[in-house]
Amino acid sequence: MTQLRVALLSSCTIEVLERPLAAALRERGFEPSFWISGFGQYRQDALDPASGLYQHDPNVVLLYLDAEDLFRQLLQNPFANVGDARRAEGRRVADDIASLVVAIRSRLPKATVVVNTTALPPLNAVTGLEFNSEFGVQDAVAEYNAGLVAFAAARNDVIVLDAAGLAASVGFSRWRDSRMWYLARLRLSKPALEALASGYASTIAARLGKTKKCVAVDLDNTLWGGIVGEDGFDGIKLGEDGLGLAFAEFQEELLNLYRKGILLAICSKNNPDDALQVIRNHPGMRLREEHFAALRINWEDKASNLRALAEELNIGLDAFVFVDDNPVERSWVKQSAPEVVVPEWPTDPVDYKSALLQLSARYFPKLGITAEDRKRGEVYQAQAARRKLESSGATIEEFYHALEMRVRVGRADSFTIPRIAQLTQKTNQFNLTTRRYTEAEIRAASEDERTEVFWLDLNDRFGPSGLVGVLILKQDAPGEWNIDTFLLSCRVMGRTVENAFLAAAAREAGATCLVGEYAPTAKNSPVKDLYARLGFAHVRDVGERRVWRLANAAKLEIPPWFQVERDRNGATADPPLITR
Amino acid sequence: MLDKRLVDTLSRVFNVDPSTITPETSPATLPSWDSVGHINLVLELEDVFGVRFSSESIPTLDSARTLQAAIDALGG
């Protein structure tokens, strides 16, 4: 559980959101503590340096502002404002809220602020006149939303939650509960509170990297209708005809997850030849073999197959969501692999696509797509080819040489900062200190004179792995550097990349002496002895943390199987494989 | 006699042991039954029993006994 301090400010009563929001955050692995602004106090609390908001020192500030509060006068008499004056009002309110967010951020430099789009009731006094006359209200809110979105887009510390979209999805008449407004000055119904809580929790999970990585899907009656072993290649339902389209469109949404950087895997009890024939040749298939990072098509039990998939992909079982139409299989996996998320699944295939979109919003939220995300599927395919080479019987050194690895080490810059922050958020296994950083924190560190933020980019004969390593060094004294963060993406572990990385970075920083520590977590035992392996001496323990020191950093060697290209400030003709 | 679902909901919303809940349980006996707690409780009970309390009745539902009577009257 990750401790999370949340501040909640709103234009209406919002205390009732705490309960569903706390539940939604706990489900996503957070232990929240709340500070909630009083009714109608959001402005004062944001502007008063002594307010409870700043004493709480939140990691996340949720500022829920409702259009009916922001544009109350406009709604009371929509005939008082025409055309441009109304749109100007929308822009003015957006600017006003933007300056409030700037004030909050200036006092909470590490916090993330979540603002929201908002919607007015579609049924109001100018219904019918709207868009047909000079009278209306919606364009004021449209200007407001656009202004707020543009403001947030220019800053990486402000995130937009699309509450207007949530309201449309719930249905505006269900989004409101008039009793709650008149009795408690609450603008939200129970379904609205739940949708908002889930939206906020997913946004926070995306920001802090607490999301799942892989969807494992069944085949018969999940990817296509019917059972290929019984109904045959020509007998399954898949394609443009009838219900076949429900399966084809479900596959299209899986393909969109792949494009977002989510791994797809198959976990099916089937005859592999029958199944592969469909996957490779069926004209209705939207997904092909190349979209799957790994496949388990056999008669083993599915919990064991999921474990095998986890091992092959080098991710935790807790990074999986398992989709299967069969309730018996679901219940078996729930019982025997409880780390895996096993959502209930609709019995009718027409509901598959919307069920998947809900899973996507719930377990795979993203706030940006890196080039890494877009290439992830291919990268895992190359990984499978590497594994084949490894098992081909040569010595380990021969294997390293045969990989033809080329590394580049550079300093963090605006291109690499998003990916560096993402890696600090997501990397669990090869991570010595597991310090999580936001983009703003990485940027600040890279601008600090006594701190070096290095990245590592890896290529080999099977293709690029991209930016897969981060080293943050802090200078203690001239020549003496403390290793604040040392991490590698799990998919390049076991290839001595760490030796090359630390040696190259130490040279670049001009380090003569290095101090590193190992802070144990539930997942990083693979690097427990890393510093010993690199020639460091154990000097002391601080609580659970082991501190190691290397007096002569020049001893660090780049293994002979690496070709190293140095990259000052990342400003070469060949940028690393990451942009936003 | 209190419906078990009412007892369970009170216990869940206010985070107290079900055995402590009696018909006399009220904001006076449960400190967490404040105005926010009351809204949480009402919204939960509406889901559990599939009923809808009127705006006039909501502020008067100030004990387990009156809640049970209101739920019974609505056929929940």
Side-chain angles (χ1 to χ4, degrees):
Chain A
M1 283 286 188
T2 305
Q3 302 290 323
L4 187 74
R5 292 183 306 279
V6 181
L8 197 49
L9 299 97
S10 174
S11 60
C12 61
T13 298
I14 203 71
E15 285 88 342
V16 188
L17 186 62
E18 179 180 344
R19 194 179 154 80
L21 181 56
L25 285 169
R26 282 196 198 101
E27 269 179 39
R28 288 158 178 83
F30 296 103
E31 190 49 57
S33 63
F34 287 92
W35 175 85
I36 303 177
S37 175
F39 174 70
Q41 295 289 307
Y42 68 95
R43 188 176 299 275
Q44 293 89 316
D45 283 325
L47 297 176
D48 176 6
S51 76
L53 167 62
Y54 300 114
Q55 283 163 31
H56 188 61
D57 188 25
N59 314 98
V60 185
V61 178
L62 307 178
L63 179 58
Y64 179 75
L65 301 177
D66 196 289
E68 279 199 78
D69 298 318
L70 296 174
F71 297 95
R72 202 165 173 185
Q73 287 177 335
L74 184 62
L75 271 183
Q76 277 168 347
N77 180 4
F79 302 98
N81 280 290
V82 293
D84 278 343
R86 202 166 53 227
R87 288 186 284 276
E89 173 67 1
R91 285 192 292 276
R92 186 193 66 76
V93 178
D95 288 346
D96 176 46
I97 298 306
S99 66
L100 211 56
V101 173
V102 170
I104 293 173
R105 273 285 306 172
S106 71
R107 296 204 175 96
L108 295 170
K110 285 186 169 180
T112 297
V113 182
V114 185
V115 296
N116 61 283
T117 63
T118 180
L120 282 176
L123 187 63
N124 57 53
V126 286
T127 299
L129 288 164
E130 187 103 52
F131 308 122
N132 293 311
S133 75
E134 58 188 335
F135 300 108
V137 289
Q138 302 293 358
D139 52 359
V141 179
E143 284 286 336
Y144 168 77
N145 285 337
L148 208 58
V149 168
F151 162 71
R155 308 182 56 118
N156 60 16
D157 50 11
V158 182
I159 298 173
V160 180
L161 175 72
D162 186 18
L166 292 177
S169 177
V170 169
F172 204 92
S173 54
R174 284 182 68 228
W175 181 257
R176 292 276 189 254
D177 182 336
S178 305
R179 298 171 310 166
M180 293 302 122
W181 171 244
Y182 291 113
L183 291 174
R185 298 299 181 263
L186 168 64
R187 293 283 188 192
L188 303 157
S189 66
K190 187 149 195 284
L193 289 164
E194 278 160 7
L196 205 55
S198 181
Y200 276 133
S202 289
T203 301
I204 293 167
R207 177 70 163 188
L208 300 177
K210 289 232 175 206
T211 57
K212 304 293 171 190
K213 293 175 179 165
C214 180
V215 195
V217 290
D218 170 50
L219 295 177
D220 290 333
N221 284 319
T222 301
L223 273 202
W224 53 72
I227 296 168
V228 63
E230 289 172 18
D231 303 312
F233 183 88
D234 300 320
I236 58 170
K237 289 193 214 104
L238 178 62
E240 293 300 319
D241 295 334
L243 278 184
L245 189 59
F247 293 97
E249 290 193 353
F250 171 58
Q251 288 196 16
E252 283 167 7
E253 285 311 327
L254 282 167
L255 191 53
N256 280 331
L257 278 181
Y258 168 88
R259 292 176 181 132
K260 247 170 85 169
I262 308 304
L263 299 174
L264 306 181
I266 292 176
C267 182
S268 162
K269 281 185 184 163
N270 229 314
N271 180 350
D273 292 341
D274 292 345
L276 285 171
Q277 202 206 346
V278 174
I279 293 167
R280 288 173 185 157
N281 303 320
H282 197 287
M285 282 294 291
R286 303 298 202 260
L287 295 167
R288 296 291 183 192
E289 214 172 339
E290 73 251 30
H291 298 121
F292 295 101
L295 298 85
R296 283 293 176 285
I297 306 171
N298 54 39
W299 300 98
E300 306 282 313
D301 84 276
K302 295 205 175 186
S304 306
N305 272 332
L306 284 163
R307 282 179 213 286
L309 286 168
E311 194 165 318
E312 176 170 348
L313 297 173
N314 209 358
I315 57 179
L317 262 187
D318 60 359
F320 279 86
V321 175
F322 173 63
V323 171
D324 196 314
D325 67 295
N326 184 337
V328 178
E329 297 291 3
R330 292 203 301 269
S331 136
W332 168 252
V333 169
K334 260 190 226 171
Q335 202 183 96
S336 353
E339 303 95 324
V340 176
V341 171
V342 185
E344 283 305 295
W345 197 244
T347 49
D348 191 331
V350 299
D351 298 321
Y352 282 10
K353 177 175 153 178
S354 61
L356 183 65
L357 288 169
Q358 280 172 28
L359 287 188
S360 174
R362 166 72 178 77
Y363 295 105
F364 304 107
K366 290 231 174 196
L367 299 171
I369 305 279
T370 58
E372 269 289 310
D373 287 329
R374 274 185 269 127
K375 300 214 87 161
R376 185 158 297 122
E378 293 168 39
V379 165
Y380 274 86
Q381 289 248 312
Q383 185 76 342
R386 280 179 204 110
R387 215 167 284 117
K388 245 183 208 159
L389 176 70
E390 190 176 5
S391 58
S392 67
T395 68
I396 193 77
E397 284 79 13
E398 281 169 335
F399 165 63
Y400 293 146
H401 277 291
L403 279 172
E404 298 166 19
M405 290 184 280
R406 302 185 302 287
V407 296
R408 282 189 306 137
V409 173
R411 289 185 167 85
D413 62 7
S414 57
F415 292 105
T416 50
I417 284 170
R419 170 65 178 164
I420 290 169
Q422 187 189 49
L423 278 174
T424 70
Q425 297 288 352
K426 286 174 48 174
T427 309
N428 296 318
Q429 294 184 62
F430 194 116
N431 196 337
L432 275 301
T433 52
T434 319
R435 294 194 170 103
R436 311 297 194 192
Y437 291 119
T438 63
E439 287 182 31
E441 288 166 336
I442 295 294
R443 179 163 292 113
S446 71
E447 287 163 2
D448 180 60
E449 278 185 15
R450 301 169 70 89
T451 306
E452 292 271 24
V453 182
F454 291 110
W455 51 259
L456 172 131
D457 172 275
L458 178 71
N459 266 277
D460 65 25
R461 61 183 270 204
F462 296 105
S465 294
L467 196 161
V468 287
V470 177
L471 251 172
I472 301 178
L473 302 178
K474 296 198 165 168
Q475 194 174 28
D476 286 338
E480 247 192 77
W481 293 81
N482 190 296
I483 305 170
D484 172 89
T485 293
F486 189 3
L487 66 83
L488 286 181
S489 164
C490 56
R491 62 173 188 260
V492 302
M493 278 164 66
R495 293 162 60 179
T496 70
V497 176
E498 58 274 24
N499 301 49
F501 192 12
L502 190 62
R507 276 174 215 179
E508 194 67 22
T512 51
C513 167
L514 286 168
V515 174
E517 62 177 51
Y518 167 71
T521 67
K523 295 202 167 159
N524 72 352
S525 59
V527 292
K528 186 159 60 86
D529 301 319
L530 177 81
Y531 285 126
R533 201 153 56 67
L534 291 170
F536 284 58
H538 174 225
V539 286
R540 63 177 177 279
D541 290 339
V542 182
E544 288 208 295
R545 302 189 324 246
R546 308 208 87 188
V547 181
W548 301 79
R549 188 165 186 275
L550 182 66
N552 185 1
K555 274 191 192 160
L556 290 169
E557 278 178 14
I558 296 169
W561 39 80
F562 282 103
Q563 201 185 317
V564 181
E565 304 158 35
R566 234 175 295 158
D567 186 342
R568 280 201 167 269
N569 307 316
T572 63
D574 183 21
L577 183 80
I578 22 92
T579 44
R580 243 210 173 160
Chain B
M1 187 60 189
L2 300 178
D3 189 306
K4 183 174 181 304
R5 290 173 296 167
L6 172 58
V7 174
D8 288 348
T9 308
L10 280 161
S11 132
R12 197 173 66 245
V13 170
F14 297 129
N15 207 10
V16 292
D17 195 275
S19 65
T20 63
I21 291 173
T22 71
E24 285 13 281
T25 298
S26 74
T29 68
L30 273 185
S32 52
W33 191 338
D34 57 9
S35 58
V36 174
H38 191 61
I39 297 290
N40 280 325
L41 176 66
V42 164
L43 293 175
E44 282 291 318
L45 287 172
E46 290 189 334
D47 266 9
V48 170
F49 288 94
V51 297
R52 183 182 155 93
F53 300 110
S54 73
S55 56
E56 262 182 313
S57 74
I58 290 173
T60 69
L61 303 172
D62 56 2
S63 70
R65 185 190 307 281
T66 54
L67 280 166
Q68 184 67 61
I71 290 163
D72 291 344
L74 291 166

Short mmCIF file of all heavy atoms in Angstrom, two decimals, chain A residues 44-71:
data_model
loop_
_atom_site.label_atom_id
_atom_site.label_comp_id
_atom_site.label_asym_id
_atom_site.label_seq_id
_atom_site.Cartn_x
_atom_site.Cartn_y
_atom_site.Cartn_z
N GLN A 44 -10.74 30.56 -0.82
CA GLN A 44 -10.03 31.04 0.36
C GLN A 44 -8.92 30.06 0.77
O GLN A 44 -7.80 30.46 1.09
CB GLN A 44 -10.98 31.21 1.56
CG GLN A 44 -12.01 32.31 1.40
CD GLN A 44 -13.29 31.82 0.73
OE1 GLN A 44 -13.23 31.07 -0.25
NE2 GLN A 44 -14.43 32.24 1.24
N ASP A 45 -9.26 28.75 0.74
CA ASP A 45 -8.27 27.75 1.16
C ASP A 45 -7.07 27.74 0.23
O ASP A 45 -5.94 27.52 0.67
CB ASP A 45 -8.92 26.37 1.24
CG ASP A 45 -9.77 26.22 2.50
OD1 ASP A 45 -9.38 26.79 3.54
OD2 ASP A 45 -10.82 25.56 2.43
N ALA A 46 -7.33 27.95 -1.07
CA ALA A 46 -6.21 27.95 -2.03
C ALA A 46 -5.33 29.18 -1.84
O ALA A 46 -4.11 29.11 -2.02
CB ALA A 46 -6.75 27.90 -3.46
N LEU A 47 -5.93 30.29 -1.46
CA LEU A 47 -5.17 31.55 -1.40
C LEU A 47 -4.54 31.81 -0.03
O LEU A 47 -3.63 32.61 0.09
CB LEU A 47 -6.07 32.72 -1.79
CG LEU A 47 -6.58 32.68 -3.24
CD1 LEU A 47 -7.55 33.81 -3.52
CD2 LEU A 47 -5.43 32.70 -4.23
N ASP A 48 -5.04 31.14 1.01
CA ASP A 48 -4.54 31.39 2.36
C ASP A 48 -3.37 30.44 2.67
O ASP A 48 -3.56 29.24 2.81
CB ASP A 48 -5.68 31.16 3.36
CG ASP A 48 -5.20 31.30 4.80
OD1 ASP A 48 -4.02 31.67 5.00
OD2 ASP A 48 -6.00 31.03 5.72
N PRO A 49 -2.15 30.98 2.79
CA PRO A 49 -0.99 30.11 3.02
C PRO A 49 -1.10 29.32 4.32
O PRO A 49 -0.44 28.28 4.48
CB PRO A 49 0.20 31.07 3.09
CG PRO A 49 -0.31 32.41 2.74
CD PRO A 49 -1.79 32.41 2.75
N ALA A 50 -1.94 29.77 5.25
CA ALA A 50 -2.06 29.07 6.54
C ALA A 50 -3.21 28.07 6.55
O ALA A 50 -3.52 27.49 7.59
CB ALA A 50 -2.25 30.11 7.66
N SER A 51 -3.86 27.86 5.40
CA SER A 51 -5.04 26.98 5.41
C SER A 51 -4.66 25.52 5.61
O SER A 51 -3.51 25.12 5.42
CB SER A 51 -5.81 27.13 4.09
OG SER A 51 -5.13 26.44 3.06
N GLY A 52 -5.66 24.73 5.98
CA GLY A 52 -5.46 23.30 6.20
C GLY A 52 -4.94 22.60 4.96
O GLY A 52 -4.24 21.60 5.05
N LEU A 53 -5.28 23.14 3.78
CA LEU A 53 -4.79 22.56 2.52
C LEU A 53 -3.27 22.43 2.56
O LEU A 53 -2.73 21.38 2.25
CB LEU A 53 -5.21 23.46 1.35
CG LEU A 53 -4.56 23.20 0.00
CD1 LEU A 53 -4.89 21.81 -0.53
CD2 LEU A 53 -5.00 24.25 -1.02
N TYR A 54 -2.59 23.51 2.96
CA TYR A 54 -1.12 23.48 2.92
C TYR A 54 -0.53 22.74 4.11
O TYR A 54 0.55 22.18 4.03
CB TYR A 54 -0.59 24.91 2.79
CG TYR A 54 -1.10 25.56 1.52
CD1 TYR A 54 -1.98 26.64 1.55
CD2 TYR A 54 -0.77 25.00 0.28
CE1 TYR A 54 -2.48 27.18 0.37
CE2 TYR A 54 -1.27 25.53 -0.90
CZ TYR A 54 -2.12 26.63 -0.85
OH TYR A 54 -2.62 27.14 -2.01
N GLN A 55 -1.25 22.74 5.23
CA GLN A 55 -0.77 21.96 6.38
C GLN A 55 -0.80 20.46 6.08
O GLN A 55 0.03 19.70 6.56
CB GLN A 55 -1.61 22.27 7.62
CG GLN A 55 -1.22 23.62 8.21
CD GLN A 55 -2.27 24.14 9.16
OE1 GLN A 55 -2.97 23.36 9.81
NE2 GLN A 55 -2.40 25.45 9.22
N HIS A 56 -1.81 20.05 5.27
CA HIS A 56 -1.94 18.63 4.94
C HIS A 56 -0.81 18.17 4.01
O HIS A 56 -0.52 16.97 3.94
CB HIS A 56 -3.31 18.41 4.28
CG HIS A 56 -3.66 16.97 4.05
ND1 HIS A 56 -3.76 16.05 5.06
CD2 HIS A 56 -3.93 16.29 2.91
CE1 HIS A 56 -4.09 14.87 4.55
NE2 HIS A 56 -4.19 14.98 3.25
N ASP A 57 -0.18 19.12 3.27
CA ASP A 57 0.89 18.82 2.32
C ASP A 57 0.52 17.66 1.39
O ASP A 57 1.18 16.62 1.37
CB ASP A 57 2.20 18.50 3.08
CG ASP A 57 3.37 18.38 2.10
OD1 ASP A 57 3.30 18.98 1.01
OD2 ASP A 57 4.35 17.68 2.44
N PRO A 58 -0.56 17.83 0.62
CA PRO A 58 -1.05 16.71 -0.19
C PRO A 58 -0.13 16.36 -1.36
O PRO A 58 0.58 17.22 -1.88
CB PRO A 58 -2.40 17.23 -0.72
CG PRO A 58 -2.26 18.71 -0.72
CD PRO A 58 -1.37 19.04 0.44
N ASN A 59 -0.16 15.08 -1.78
CA ASN A 59 0.49 14.66 -3.02
C ASN A 59 -0.40 15.00 -4.21
O ASN A 59 0.08 15.24 -5.30
CB ASN A 59 0.70 13.14 -3.07
CG ASN A 59 1.27 12.57 -1.80
OD1 ASN A 59 0.54 12.05 -0.97
ND2 ASN A 59 2.57 12.71 -1.64
N VAL A 60 -1.71 14.94 -3.95
CA VAL A 60 -2.68 15.16 -5.02
C VAL A 60 -3.74 16.13 -4.53
O VAL A 60 -4.28 15.97 -3.43
CB VAL A 60 -3.38 13.84 -5.41
CG1 VAL A 60 -4.30 14.07 -6.61
CG2 VAL A 60 -2.38 12.77 -5.73
N VAL A 61 -4.03 17.14 -5.35
CA VAL A 61 -5.09 18.09 -5.04
C VAL A 61 -6.21 17.89 -6.07
O VAL A 61 -5.98 18.07 -7.27
CB VAL A 61 -4.59 19.55 -5.10
CG1 VAL A 61 -5.73 20.52 -4.81
CG2 VAL A 61 -3.43 19.75 -4.12
N LEU A 62 -7.38 17.50 -5.60
CA LEU A 62 -8.52 17.33 -6.49
C LEU A 62 -9.41 18.56 -6.34
O LEU A 62 -9.92 18.84 -5.25
CB LEU A 62 -9.31 16.06 -6.12
CG LEU A 62 -8.48 14.77 -6.03
CD1 LEU A 62 -9.38 13.60 -5.61
CD2 LEU A 62 -7.81 14.46 -7.35
N LEU A 63 -9.55 19.30 -7.44
CA LEU A 63 -10.34 20.52 -7.41
C LEU A 63 -11.58 20.26 -8.26
O LEU A 63 -11.52 20.34 -9.49
CB LEU A 63 -9.50 21.67 -7.98
CG LEU A 63 -10.14 23.05 -8.07
CD1 LEU A 63 -10.60 23.53 -6.72
CD2 LEU A 63 -9.15 24.05 -8.67
N TYR A 64 -12.68 19.88 -7.62
CA TYR A 64 -13.89 19.57 -8.38
C TYR A 64 -14.78 20.80 -8.48
O TYR A 64 -15.36 21.25 -7.49
CB TYR A 64 -14.68 18.39 -7.77
CG TYR A 64 -15.93 18.15 -8.59
CD1 TYR A 64 -15.84 17.54 -9.83
CD2 TYR A 64 -17.17 18.63 -8.18
CE1 TYR A 64 -16.95 17.38 -10.64
CE2 TYR A 64 -18.29 18.49 -8.98
CZ TYR A 64 -18.17 17.86 -10.21
OH TYR A 64 -19.28 17.72 -11.01
N LEU A 65 -14.88 21.34 -9.70
CA LEU A 65 -15.71 22.52 -9.91
C LEU A 65 -16.83 22.19 -10.86
O LEU A 65 -16.61 21.61 -11.92
CB LEU A 65 -14.84 23.66 -10.47
CG LEU A 65 -13.67 24.06 -9.56
CD1 LEU A 65 -12.82 25.13 -10.21
CD2 LEU A 65 -14.17 24.53 -8.19
N ASP A 66 -18.05 22.55 -10.44
CA ASP A 66 -19.24 22.18 -11.21
C ASP A 66 -19.76 23.40 -11.97
O ASP A 66 -19.85 24.50 -11.43
CB ASP A 66 -20.31 21.66 -10.26
CG ASP A 66 -21.39 20.91 -11.01
OD1 ASP A 66 -22.17 21.57 -11.73
OD2 ASP A 66 -21.43 19.67 -10.87
N ALA A 67 -20.14 23.17 -13.24
CA ALA A 67 -20.60 24.27 -14.10
C ALA A 67 -21.79 25.00 -13.49
O ALA A 67 -21.92 26.22 -13.64
CB ALA A 67 -20.98 23.72 -15.48
N GLU A 68 -22.64 24.31 -12.77
CA GLU A 68 -23.81 24.99 -12.22
C GLU A 68 -23.44 25.96 -11.10
O GLU A 68 -24.18 26.88 -10.80
CB GLU A 68 -24.84 23.96 -11.72
CG GLU A 68 -25.67 23.42 -12.87
CD GLU A 68 -26.96 22.77 -12.41
OE1 GLU A 68 -27.92 23.50 -12.07
OE2 GLU A 68 -26.98 21.52 -12.37
N ASP A 69 -22.27 25.72 -10.46
CA ASP A 69 -21.78 26.68 -9.47
C ASP A 69 -21.02 27.81 -10.16
O ASP A 69 -21.20 28.98 -9.84
CB ASP A 69 -20.87 25.98 -8.46
CG ASP A 69 -21.62 24.92 -7.67
OD1 ASP A 69 -22.76 25.20 -7.27
OD2 ASP A 69 -21.06 23.83 -7.49
N LEU A 70 -20.16 27.44 -11.12
CA LEU A 70 -19.32 28.44 -11.79
C LEU A 70 -20.15 29.41 -12.63
O LEU A 70 -19.79 30.56 -12.80
CB LEU A 70 -18.29 27.76 -12.69
CG LEU A 70 -17.25 26.88 -12.01
CD1 LEU A 70 -16.40 26.16 -13.05
CD2 LEU A 70 -16.35 27.71 -11.10
N PHE A 71 -21.25 28.91 -13.20
CA PHE A 71 -22.06 29.72 -14.11
C PHE A 71 -23.49 29.88 -13.59
O PHE A 71 -24.44 29.88 -14.35
CB PHE A 71 -22.04 29.10 -15.52
CG PHE A 71 -20.67 29.07 -16.12
CD1 PHE A 71 -19.87 27.93 -16.02
CD2 PHE A 71 -20.16 30.20 -16.75
CE1 PHE A 71 -18.58 27.91 -16.55
CE2 PHE A 71 -18.87 30.18 -17.29
CZ PHE A 71 -18.08 29.04 -17.18
#
